[in-house]
Amino acid sequence: MPKSHTPGVPKLLRVLNDQAALKLLLEDGPQTRAQLAERTSMSKVTASQMMERLQTRGLVEVVGSKSGGRGPNASLYAAVPAFTYVVGVEVGPVTTKGACADFTGRIVGRAEIDVEGSTDPVAVVRRVVTDSVADAGIEMAKVQRITLGTPGVIDPASGDIGFSWNLPAWHRGLRTALNEEFAAAVAIENDVNLATVAEQRSGGAGGATDFVYAWFGGGLGLGVILNGNLYRGASGAAGEIGFLPVPGGDLPTGGIVTRLSKGSYQRVIGGDAVLDIGAKHGFEAAEPEDVLTAAVEAREAGAACLDEIARGIALGIVAVCVLLDPTVVVLGGPVGYAGGLVLAGRVAAHTSQLAPVNPSVVAGTVIEEPIMRGAILHGLDAVRESLFD
């Protein structure tokens, strides 16, 4: 009986090896062939062959050398930043920001435009993308992916906006229109989900494979990571925690609940509620995050204010924890970041008093542009996966 042959196996192994080596170079910076061989448990010969293949594709280059003691210096390899580019777009009701990043994730171009009252989302995206690419000094043809982070529900089947309460002109069909506008592939993702990805990679989640990221600001949102993957739900509405029924928050009235309705949890600890709590304790502010900043800085004088806010937050956190039992709860959004470790500790204490759960409640650490950072990571993930399809 003839032997069975599996000619695809060696090719698959080469692809996996190349993918692993490129991932190490992108995440940890320049390395020698010997270092890559050691870290991937491959022979030096195999590592040399990997580098040759990746160099041939224009993915890596020699950027220097490193002394290894005896013998000649070893070449240092690194990913080629200019191999390709992605653009992340953070959409808001007043301003929209864009950032162009190279293959390593370094932001090389930026743009920001005023969009208040705009009724042409395609024109908004076109301008912010082209401006950020122009600021980077590259040709649009070098951009491979564009990711938009927007508030609202994104249909997981179509990848289109289902509804966004503060972006009424952003509607179904927008993703198709944008893909017709640009040669680069365009994706739309919920903004809190993107901030969750940013915290997953380099933030407070600490490498946990099951965690939730809670966004507190003017609005509320929740990003859910299960088994290392972002969970969106059947209709993309997973994480719309503003509608959680909680004590102290009146339920929407009128018999018909729409996404324009103000949910129970939103009434208790949304931006307006935080401003009211702050005013009650003598911390008048224009933005909810300013209440937290002032209360934290006030130390003992701000303790009562922080406790009341923490109790309100804990009502939703405990509901999430008894359902999902995450390893870590990351507090983010403007309020979560402003409250920091002081707020996180109080939320953890109140949560454990409300139910027999004891999650690790931590403050988010990707304070600077978490949505933009997540949009760039989303685009780069898609590019890097496509390289080895």
Side-chain angles (χ1 to χ4, degrees):
M1 189 172 182
K3 292 182 180 179
S4 61
H5 295 284
T6 53
V9 171
K11 182 178 180 181
L12 175 61
L13 290 175
R14 286 196 297 271
V15 167
L16 294 174
N17 290 344
D18 292 357
Q19 197 171 23
L22 182 61
K23 186 173 186 289
L24 286 172
L25 293 175
L26 286 166
E27 292 181 353
D28 300 335
Q31 296 177 60
T32 66
R33 285 177 292 187
Q35 287 174 316
L36 289 168
E38 181 179 358
R39 297 190 64 187
T40 57
S41 301
M42 301 174 196
S43 69
K44 291 183 180 179
V45 172
T46 300
S48 296
Q49 293 170 342
M50 281 192 310
M51 290 302 97
E52 288 175 9
R53 289 193 296 270
L54 293 173
Q55 276 186 290
T56 300
R57 296 185 62 181
L59 289 164
V60 304
E61 61 186 351
V62 176
V63 294
S65 60
K66 181 178 181 180
S67 174
R70 296 180 180 179
N73 290 347
S75 295
L76 274 172
Y77 294 88
V80 178
F83 176 76
T84 194
Y85 295 83
V86 301
V87 175
V89 177
E90 182 177 343
V91 180
V94 178
T95 61
T96 290
K97 299 186 291 184
C100 179
D102 65 24
F103 189 47
T104 67
R106 183 173 66 96
I107 293 176
V108 293
R110 289 182 176 275
E112 183 172 347
I113 61 174
D114 184 354
V115 298
E116 192 167 16
S118 173
T119 58
D120 189 349
V122 174
V124 167
V125 178
R126 181 196 304 121
R127 182 179 165 193
V128 79
V129 169
T130 54
D131 285 359
S132 63
V133 171
D135 188 53
I138 63 169
E139 298 293 326
M140 184 64 74
K142 291 287 290 181
V143 176
Q144 197 169 342
R145 296 274 174 166
I146 300 167
T147 299
L148 276 63
T150 77
V153 176
I154 312 301
D155 185 339
S158 67
D160 223 331
I161 294 178
F163 180 83
S164 180
W165 67 271
N166 57 353
L167 295 172
W170 296 66
H171 50 72
R172 289 186 183 275
L174 177 59
R175 182 170 177 265
T176 299
L178 290 172
N179 274 297
E180 291 172 352
E181 177 75 23
F182 297 103
V186 179
I188 304 174
E189 183 58 86
N190 173 266
D191 52 1
V192 175
N193 281 347
L194 292 177
T196 303
V197 170
E199 287 286 352
Q200 179 188 31
R201 300 295 178 83
S202 56
T209 56
D210 293 274
F211 78 93
V212 295
Y213 170 85
W215 176 283
F216 295 96
L220 309 179
L222 189 80
V224 181
I225 299 290
L226 297 178
N227 295 320
N229 298 311
L230 191 64
Y231 179 75
R232 296 176 177 85
S235 65
E240 292 292 309
I241 57 170
F243 289 96
L244 274 177
V246 297
D250 293 337
L251 299 176
T253 58
I256 300 176
V257 178
T258 71
R259 298 199 186 279
L260 289 173
S261 304
K262 196 170 185 180
S264 175
Y265 192 40
Q266 177 73 29
R267 294 172 187 268
V268 167
I269 205 63
D272 291 341
V274 171
L275 290 174
D276 290 342
I277 294 170
K280 184 173 73 172
H281 291 277
F283 297 102
E284 296 272 359
E287 300 293 339
E289 57 268 30
D290 296 336
V291 171
L292 274 295
T293 300
V296 170
E297 290 177 350
R299 297 182 181 274
E300 284 303 314
C305 178
L306 289 170
D307 266 338
E308 186 168 349
I309 292 171
R311 279 196 300 272
I313 289 175
L315 293 174
I317 297 304
V318 73
V320 171
C321 288
V322 296
L323 287 173
L324 298 178
D325 191 24
T327 306
V328 180
V329 175
V330 180
L331 301 185
V335 166
Y337 292 128
L341 294 173
V342 175
L343 178 65
R346 282 174 160 79
V347 171
H350 284 294
T351 299
S352 63
Q353 292 170 7
L354 293 171
V357 293
N358 189 28
S360 174
V361 181
V362 302
T365 58
V366 186
I367 298 173
E368 295 296 324
E369 300 183 309
I371 297 168
M372 184 71 77
R373 187 72 242 166
I376 289 169
L377 288 169
H378 184 281
L380 288 172
D381 283 349
V383 168
R384 294 166 185 173
E385 288 172 12
S386 70
L387 291 172
F388 299 100
D389 282 347

